[in-house]
Amino acid sequence: MNDTIIIGTGHNALVAAFYLAKGGRKPLVLERRAVVGGCAITEEFAPGFKSATLAHAFGPLRPSIVRDMHLERRGVQFVRPDPRLAAIAPDGRALLFSTDPRRTADAIRQFSSKDADRYPEFCDTLVRLGEFIGELLEMIPPSIDAPSASELWELVKTGRRFRGLGKRDAFNLLRWGPMAVADLVGEWFETDLLQASIAARGIFGTFMGPWSAGTSAVLLLGAASDPLPGGSSVTAIGGPGAVTRAMAEAAREAGAEIRTSADVTRILVKDGTVSGVRLADGTELAAPLVVSGVDPRRTYLDLVDPMDLEPGFITRIRNYRVPGTVGKINVALRGLPAFRGVGADAARLRGRIHIGPSIDYLERAYDASKYGEISEFPYLDIAFPSVVDPSLAPAGKHVMSIHMQYAPYRLRDGLSWAGRRDALADTVMRTLEEYAPGVTGLVEHRQIITPLDLETNYGLTGGHIFHGELSLDQLFTMRPTLGWGQYQSPVTNLFLCGSGTHPGHGLTGGSGQNAAREILRRL
Ligand SMILES: Cc1cc2nc3c(=O)[nH]c(=O)nc-3n(C[C@H](O)[C@H](O)[C@H](O)COP(=O)(O)OP(=O)(O)OC[C@H]3O[C@@H](n4cnc5c(N)ncnc54)[C@H](O)[C@@H]3O)c2cc1C
């Protein structure tokens, strides 16, 4: 008999299901799609070609999750490519970010010896700040109006750790958080390509450009999971789907039941307390505890009856911003394209490829989206899952996974995304052609995913890949909204565990792990 219902099988929900089952609950996990994994899936999109349909790199996952769920013993082979990032310049040069900062510094030297000398210090600073922020991300955000004794104690400990950072780092942290990432990288480096490839981490997945305030905070959030400036390129043999399949197996083994093709249409509430869920086919399933791994807007505005929530709370959730800006193109290729400065060298294409050569380029790409237009020269983050795992494509062929920004969910003048998918992919390929001449001639098939598709097919409200903007007003105690940052909700025994809760931000499993801990504590 299940005593807990979890909605969705995103990686956060699977992590929460695992820990709740370990904590003695009997979760029933309900997924509307036919496959588990949410945004972390590997699917065949053309005969013989499989790609990371949506996300192509992990945050990476918290090591404690990998360990507790025995993911590697279950057969998951994580791959940590080195170089992790290749940034391509229009003049034919490339900058390879290695896992060894000294090697990256050597690569930077061809652009600027001043930047090369400063790079190791920048890495060291991110390592120290990342460690401090990492501890904040593990915390359950404290209550603002009535902090408990243990919350106050945690805050005292955080204050001590902050002082332990030393004056210079503490000052940097306070100053950098609200800063535009363009200013931050501009203070450290002079090379356009280096500035832009580091700054990209501050805008990835957001409706912000490098000159937007608070983008340094996004960079620092990323640094908490992986401090190296190029960002994480961690993937797995079999793509991200291999990892979430193993997570589902771990959750099942711990005692959870998982049902796919089970679309929850209503969270049932009786006298202010959750009582179960209703599925699209009308089936009602009772449970005294419901945990939603779905984004906050969908949970509160679609799944809970508005009569069960205070109007003031509904207004606050309506004000929670989910402005999607990401398009995703998966391409089946006859062969590996040759990138300027890198060639078609598989060893150098194992990590991610960055297209966006300067801060101005990235900001212009963002500018278009402010007015509801698709960037004419978009910022691209590319991976070749078939280079890491050749079994994902027919022999000699390849799959290319392209994350593009900016493709605004809301197009100008009420224009619709219908009929614009090819234009989106054509823009991406035209841009790419400048950095990998001849790539278009290698294309056999394209899977085009618009921000509207992200909402309709993958359940991401507004097409937002992080279940809500990573802006300073929507982080920590304010994620999703002030007063409700502890995974709880105004409905008794209804909790949230997805990316729209602290810490949010990508494939780390942090929200699911924190949520399970807090739910078990409260119960
Ligand atoms: C195109 C794209 C690229 C990305 N790239 C990266 C990247 O490179 N690195 C990174 O770290 N992160 C990346 N992300 C972000 C990351 O994938 C997400 O933030 C993360 O997967 C969110 O996980 P989650 O478990 O919180 O929710 P999700 O993965 O969104 O899972 C939610 C689940 O709930 C299900 N669901 C929704 N409604 C219902 C319902 N009514 N009933 C039942 N089930 C329901 C959905 O089908 C889905 O399976 C990317 C995301 C996208 C979309």
Side-chain angles (χ1 to χ4, degrees), residues 393-434:
K397 300 190 174 185
H398 281 283
V399 286
M400 175 167 62
S401 164
I402 310 175
H403 169 112
M404 84 76 85
Q405 282 178 230
Y406 296 77
Y409 172 83
R410 269 185 216 297
L411 290 170
R412 89 188 141 83
D413 304 331
L415 291 178
S416 100
W417 270 104
R420 274 190 173 68
R421 13 171 35 83
D422 280 323
L424 177 73
D426 291 345
T427 303
V428 168
M429 295 311 295
R430 204 175 44 243
T431 302
L432 199 51
E433 192 63 36
E434 287 186 30

Short mmCIF file of all heavy atoms in Angstrom, two decimals, residues 393-434:
data_model
loop_
_atom_site.label_atom_id
_atom_site.label_comp_id
_atom_site.label_asym_id
_atom_site.label_seq_id
_atom_site.Cartn_x
_atom_site.Cartn_y
_atom_site.Cartn_z
N ALA A 393 25.02 6.11 -32.63
CA ALA A 393 24.79 6.41 -34.06
C ALA A 393 25.30 5.24 -34.89
O ALA A 393 26.16 4.48 -34.43
CB ALA A 393 25.52 7.70 -34.44
N PRO A 394 24.78 5.08 -36.12
CA PRO A 394 25.32 4.02 -36.98
C PRO A 394 26.82 4.22 -37.20
O PRO A 394 27.32 5.35 -37.11
CB PRO A 394 24.55 4.21 -38.30
CG PRO A 394 23.31 4.97 -37.91
CD PRO A 394 23.69 5.84 -36.76
N ALA A 395 27.52 3.14 -37.53
CA ALA A 395 28.99 3.19 -37.66
C ALA A 395 29.42 4.34 -38.57
O ALA A 395 28.88 4.51 -39.67
CB ALA A 395 29.49 1.86 -38.22
N GLY A 396 30.36 5.12 -38.08
CA GLY A 396 30.93 6.23 -38.87
C GLY A 396 30.07 7.49 -38.85
O GLY A 396 30.50 8.54 -39.32
N LYS A 397 28.84 7.38 -38.34
CA LYS A 397 27.95 8.56 -38.32
C LYS A 397 27.92 9.14 -36.90
O LYS A 397 28.44 8.55 -35.96
CB LYS A 397 26.56 8.17 -38.80
CG LYS A 397 26.60 7.62 -40.23
CD LYS A 397 25.23 7.44 -40.81
CE LYS A 397 25.36 7.04 -42.28
NZ LYS A 397 24.08 6.96 -42.93
N HIS A 398 27.26 10.31 -36.78
CA HIS A 398 27.30 10.99 -35.48
C HIS A 398 25.99 11.70 -35.15
O HIS A 398 25.19 12.00 -36.05
CB HIS A 398 28.45 12.00 -35.44
CG HIS A 398 29.75 11.33 -35.19
ND1 HIS A 398 30.14 10.90 -33.95
CD2 HIS A 398 30.74 10.96 -36.04
CE1 HIS A 398 31.32 10.31 -34.03
NE2 HIS A 398 31.70 10.33 -35.30
N VAL A 399 25.80 11.96 -33.86
CA VAL A 399 24.69 12.82 -33.44
C VAL A 399 25.28 14.08 -32.80
O VAL A 399 26.26 14.01 -32.06
CB VAL A 399 23.72 12.15 -32.44
CG1 VAL A 399 22.85 11.13 -33.14
CG2 VAL A 399 24.44 11.52 -31.27
N MET A 400 24.65 15.19 -33.13
CA MET A 400 25.11 16.48 -32.58
C MET A 400 23.94 17.07 -31.80
O MET A 400 22.82 17.20 -32.32
CB MET A 400 25.51 17.40 -33.75
CG MET A 400 25.88 18.81 -33.32
SD MET A 400 26.72 19.74 -34.66
CE MET A 400 25.48 19.80 -35.93
N SER A 401 24.19 17.40 -30.55
CA SER A 401 23.15 17.94 -29.67
C SER A 401 23.42 19.44 -29.50
O SER A 401 24.46 19.82 -29.00
CB SER A 401 23.26 17.20 -28.33
OG SER A 401 22.57 17.87 -27.32
N ILE A 402 22.48 20.27 -29.97
CA ILE A 402 22.72 21.73 -29.94
C ILE A 402 21.70 22.42 -29.02
O ILE A 402 20.49 22.37 -29.25
CB ILE A 402 22.58 22.36 -31.35
CG1 ILE A 402 23.40 21.57 -32.37
CG2 ILE A 402 22.99 23.82 -31.33
CD1 ILE A 402 23.22 22.07 -33.81
N HIS A 403 22.23 23.06 -28.00
CA HIS A 403 21.42 23.90 -27.11
C HIS A 403 21.56 25.32 -27.66
O HIS A 403 22.68 25.82 -27.81
CB HIS A 403 22.03 23.78 -25.71
CG HIS A 403 21.52 24.74 -24.70
ND1 HIS A 403 20.75 24.36 -23.62
CD2 HIS A 403 21.69 26.08 -24.56
CE1 HIS A 403 20.47 25.41 -22.88
NE2 HIS A 403 21.02 26.47 -23.42
N MET A 404 20.45 25.98 -28.03
CA MET A 404 20.57 27.32 -28.61
C MET A 404 19.83 28.36 -27.78
O MET A 404 18.77 28.10 -27.25
CB MET A 404 20.12 27.35 -30.09
CG MET A 404 18.64 27.49 -30.36
SD MET A 404 17.98 29.17 -30.12
CE MET A 404 18.30 29.95 -31.65
N GLN A 405 20.42 29.52 -27.67
CA GLN A 405 19.78 30.69 -27.05
C GLN A 405 20.01 31.88 -27.96
O GLN A 405 21.13 32.03 -28.47
CB GLN A 405 20.41 30.97 -25.68
CG GLN A 405 19.91 30.04 -24.59
CD GLN A 405 20.56 30.28 -23.24
OE1 GLN A 405 21.02 29.36 -22.62
NE2 GLN A 405 20.60 31.51 -22.76
N TYR A 406 19.06 32.72 -28.29
CA TYR A 406 17.83 32.75 -27.51
C TYR A 406 16.64 32.51 -28.44
O TYR A 406 16.56 33.14 -29.50
CB TYR A 406 17.67 34.10 -26.84
CG TYR A 406 18.77 34.38 -25.84
CD1 TYR A 406 20.05 34.76 -26.22
CD2 TYR A 406 18.52 34.23 -24.48
CE1 TYR A 406 21.05 35.00 -25.27
CE2 TYR A 406 19.51 34.49 -23.53
CZ TYR A 406 20.76 34.86 -23.93
OH TYR A 406 21.74 35.09 -23.00
N ALA A 407 15.74 31.65 -27.98
CA ALA A 407 14.51 31.39 -28.70
C ALA A 407 13.39 31.67 -27.70
O ALA A 407 13.07 30.81 -26.88
CB ALA A 407 14.47 29.94 -29.16
N PRO A 408 12.85 32.90 -27.71
CA PRO A 408 11.90 33.25 -26.65
C PRO A 408 10.58 32.49 -26.78
O PRO A 408 10.06 32.33 -27.88
CB PRO A 408 11.67 34.75 -26.86
CG PRO A 408 12.03 35.01 -28.27
CD PRO A 408 13.07 33.99 -28.67
N TYR A 409 10.10 32.03 -25.64
CA TYR A 409 8.81 31.32 -25.59
C TYR A 409 7.71 32.22 -26.15
O TYR A 409 6.88 31.78 -26.92
CB TYR A 409 8.54 30.97 -24.13
CG TYR A 409 7.16 30.42 -23.84
CD1 TYR A 409 6.89 29.06 -24.03
CD2 TYR A 409 6.15 31.24 -23.34
CE1 TYR A 409 5.64 28.54 -23.75
CE2 TYR A 409 4.90 30.72 -23.06
CZ TYR A 409 4.64 29.37 -23.26
OH TYR A 409 3.41 28.86 -22.98
N ARG A 410 7.75 33.50 -25.75
CA ARG A 410 6.76 34.45 -26.27
C ARG A 410 7.34 35.22 -27.44
O ARG A 410 8.27 36.02 -27.28
CB ARG A 410 6.39 35.47 -25.18
CG ARG A 410 5.23 35.01 -24.37
CD ARG A 410 4.75 36.04 -23.36
NE ARG A 410 4.32 35.34 -22.16
CZ ARG A 410 3.31 34.48 -22.11
NH1 ARG A 410 2.59 34.23 -23.18
NH2 ARG A 410 3.00 33.87 -20.98
N LEU A 411 6.78 34.96 -28.62
CA LEU A 411 7.26 35.66 -29.81
C LEU A 411 6.53 36.98 -29.96
O LEU A 411 5.42 37.17 -29.43
CB LEU A 411 7.04 34.78 -31.04
CG LEU A 411 7.95 33.55 -31.12
CD1 LEU A 411 7.49 32.61 -32.22
CD2 LEU A 411 9.40 33.94 -31.32
N ARG A 412 7.14 37.90 -30.71
CA ARG A 412 6.58 39.25 -30.81
C ARG A 412 5.24 39.25 -31.55
O ARG A 412 4.96 38.37 -32.36
CB ARG A 412 7.59 40.18 -31.47
CG ARG A 412 7.55 40.26 -32.93
CD ARG A 412 8.70 41.06 -33.49
NE ARG A 412 9.14 40.41 -34.69
CZ ARG A 412 8.57 40.59 -35.88
NH1 ARG A 412 7.58 41.43 -36.02
NH2 ARG A 412 9.01 39.93 -36.93
N ASP A 413 4.44 40.26 -31.25
CA ASP A 413 3.17 40.50 -31.92
C ASP A 413 2.28 39.26 -31.96
O ASP A 413 1.61 39.01 -32.97
CB ASP A 413 3.37 40.98 -33.37
CG ASP A 413 4.25 42.22 -33.43
OD1 ASP A 413 4.21 42.99 -32.45
OD2 ASP A 413 4.96 42.41 -34.43
N GLY A 414 2.31 38.48 -30.92
CA GLY A 414 1.43 37.30 -30.87
C GLY A 414 1.77 36.24 -31.91
O GLY A 414 0.95 35.36 -32.18
N LEU A 415 2.97 36.32 -32.53
CA LEU A 415 3.35 35.28 -33.50
C LEU A 415 3.42 33.95 -32.78
O LEU A 415 3.72 33.89 -31.59
CB LEU A 415 4.73 35.60 -34.09
CG LEU A 415 4.81 36.80 -35.02
CD1 LEU A 415 6.25 37.01 -35.48
CD2 LEU A 415 3.90 36.60 -36.23
N SER A 416 3.15 32.87 -33.52
CA SER A 416 3.17 31.58 -32.85
C SER A 416 4.39 30.77 -33.31
O SER A 416 4.98 31.05 -34.36
CB SER A 416 1.87 30.82 -33.13
OG SER A 416 2.08 29.89 -34.14
N TRP A 417 4.73 29.76 -32.53
CA TRP A 417 5.87 28.91 -32.88
C TRP A 417 5.52 27.96 -34.03
O TRP A 417 6.43 27.43 -34.66
CB TRP A 417 6.36 28.14 -31.65
CG TRP A 417 7.40 28.92 -30.92
CD1 TRP A 417 7.25 29.61 -29.75
CD2 TRP A 417 8.76 29.11 -31.32
NE1 TRP A 417 8.42 30.23 -29.41
CE2 TRP A 417 9.37 29.92 -30.35
CE3 TRP A 417 9.52 28.69 -32.40
CZ2 TRP A 417 10.70 30.32 -30.43
CZ3 TRP A 417 10.86 29.06 -32.49
CH2 TRP A 417 11.43 29.88 -31.51
N ALA A 418 4.21 27.76 -34.24
CA ALA A 418 3.81 26.85 -35.33
C ALA A 418 4.38 27.41 -36.63
O ALA A 418 4.27 28.60 -36.91
CB ALA A 418 2.29 26.77 -35.40
N GLY A 419 5.02 26.57 -37.42
CA GLY A 419 5.56 27.02 -38.69
C GLY A 419 6.91 27.72 -38.56
O GLY A 419 7.44 28.22 -39.55
N ARG A 420 7.46 27.78 -37.32
CA ARG A 420 8.75 28.46 -37.16
C ARG A 420 9.89 27.51 -36.80
O ARG A 420 11.01 27.93 -36.60
CB ARG A 420 8.63 29.53 -36.08
CG ARG A 420 8.13 30.78 -36.67
CD ARG A 420 8.18 31.97 -35.81
NE ARG A 420 7.81 33.08 -36.65
CZ ARG A 420 6.59 33.24 -37.14
NH1 ARG A 420 5.64 32.37 -36.86
NH2 ARG A 420 6.31 34.25 -37.94
N ARG A 421 9.57 26.23 -36.69
CA ARG A 421 10.61 25.30 -36.24
C ARG A 421 11.76 25.23 -37.26
O ARG A 421 12.92 25.25 -36.87
CB ARG A 421 10.09 23.91 -35.94
CG ARG A 421 8.68 23.62 -36.42
CD ARG A 421 8.24 22.20 -36.30
NE ARG A 421 8.73 21.51 -35.15
CZ ARG A 421 8.20 21.56 -33.95
NH1 ARG A 421 7.16 22.34 -33.74
NH2 ARG A 421 8.70 20.87 -32.97
N ASP A 422 11.43 25.17 -38.56
CA ASP A 422 12.52 25.07 -39.54
C ASP A 422 13.36 26.34 -39.54
O ASP A 422 14.59 26.28 -39.68
CB ASP A 422 11.96 24.77 -40.94
CG ASP A 422 11.64 23.29 -41.08
OD1 ASP A 422 12.41 22.48 -40.53
OD2 ASP A 422 10.62 22.94 -41.70
N ALA A 423 12.69 27.49 -39.35
CA ALA A 423 13.44 28.76 -39.31
C ALA A 423 14.44 28.73 -38.16
O ALA A 423 15.58 29.19 -38.28
CB ALA A 423 12.46 29.92 -39.15
N LEU A 424 14.00 28.17 -37.03
CA LEU A 424 14.87 28.08 -35.85
C LEU A 424 16.12 27.23 -36.19
O LEU A 424 17.26 27.65 -35.98
CB LEU A 424 14.09 27.44 -34.70
CG LEU A 424 14.86 27.20 -33.40
CD1 LEU A 424 15.12 28.51 -32.69
CD2 LEU A 424 14.09 26.27 -32.46
N ALA A 425 15.87 26.05 -36.75
CA ALA A 425 17.00 25.15 -37.06
C ALA A 425 17.88 25.74 -38.17
O ALA A 425 19.11 25.61 -38.11
CB ALA A 425 16.47 23.78 -37.47
N ASP A 426 17.26 26.41 -39.14
CA ASP A 426 18.06 27.00 -40.23
C ASP A 426 19.00 28.08 -39.68
O ASP A 426 20.16 28.18 -40.08
CB ASP A 426 17.14 27.62 -41.30
CG ASP A 426 16.38 26.55 -42.07
OD1 ASP A 426 16.76 25.36 -41.97
OD2 ASP A 426 15.38 26.88 -42.74
N THR A 427 18.48 28.88 -38.75
CA THR A 427 19.32 29.93 -38.13
C THR A 427 20.51 29.30 -37.41
O THR A 427 21.64 29.78 -37.51
CB THR A 427 18.47 30.74 -37.12
OG1 THR A 427 17.36 31.26 -37.81
CG2 THR A 427 19.26 31.85 -36.48
N VAL A 428 20.23 28.24 -36.69
CA VAL A 428 21.30 27.56 -35.95
C VAL A 428 22.34 27.01 -36.92
O VAL A 428 23.55 27.21 -36.74
CB VAL A 428 20.70 26.42 -35.08
CG1 VAL A 428 21.79 25.51 -34.55
CG2 VAL A 428 19.89 27.01 -33.94
N MET A 429 21.89 26.34 -37.97
CA MET A 429 22.84 25.71 -38.90
C MET A 429 23.64 26.76 -39.67
O MET A 429 24.82 26.58 -39.93
CB MET A 429 22.11 24.76 -39.87
CG MET A 429 21.46 23.56 -39.20
SD MET A 429 22.52 22.62 -38.04
CE MET A 429 23.78 21.97 -39.12
N ARG A 430 22.96 27.88 -39.99
CA ARG A 430 23.66 28.96 -40.71
C ARG A 430 24.79 29.52 -39.83
O ARG A 430 25.90 29.76 -40.28
CB ARG A 430 22.65 30.06 -41.06
CG ARG A 430 23.06 30.91 -42.24
CD ARG A 430 22.01 31.91 -42.68
NE ARG A 430 21.37 32.62 -41.59
CZ ARG A 430 20.08 32.53 -41.29
NH1 ARG A 430 19.28 31.77 -42.00
NH2 ARG A 430 19.57 33.22 -40.28
N THR A 431 24.49 29.70 -38.56
CA THR A 431 25.50 30.19 -37.62
C THR A 431 26.65 29.20 -37.51
O THR A 431 27.83 29.56 -37.58
CB THR A 431 24.86 30.39 -36.22
OG1 THR A 431 23.79 31.30 -36.35
CG2 THR A 431 25.87 30.90 -35.21
N LEU A 432 26.28 27.94 -37.37
CA LEU A 432 27.28 26.90 -37.17
C LEU A 432 28.20 26.76 -38.38
O LEU A 432 29.40 26.47 -38.24
CB LEU A 432 26.54 25.59 -36.90
CG LEU A 432 27.33 24.48 -36.23
CD1 LEU A 432 28.03 24.99 -34.99
CD2 LEU A 432 26.39 23.34 -35.86
N GLU A 433 27.63 26.97 -39.55
CA GLU A 433 28.40 26.84 -40.80
C GLU A 433 29.65 27.74 -40.76
O GLU A 433 30.69 27.38 -41.30
CB GLU A 433 27.47 27.22 -41.96
CG GLU A 433 27.95 26.88 -43.34
CD GLU A 433 28.17 25.39 -43.65
OE1 GLU A 433 27.40 24.56 -43.17
OE2 GLU A 433 29.14 25.10 -44.36
N GLU A 434 29.55 28.88 -40.07
CA GLU A 434 30.70 29.79 -40.00
C GLU A 434 31.83 29.23 -39.15
O GLU A 434 32.99 29.61 -39.30
CB GLU A 434 30.28 31.14 -39.38
CG GLU A 434 29.45 31.97 -40.34
CD GLU A 434 29.16 33.35 -39.78
OE1 GLU A 434 29.99 33.86 -39.00
OE2 GLU A 434 28.09 33.87 -40.13
#
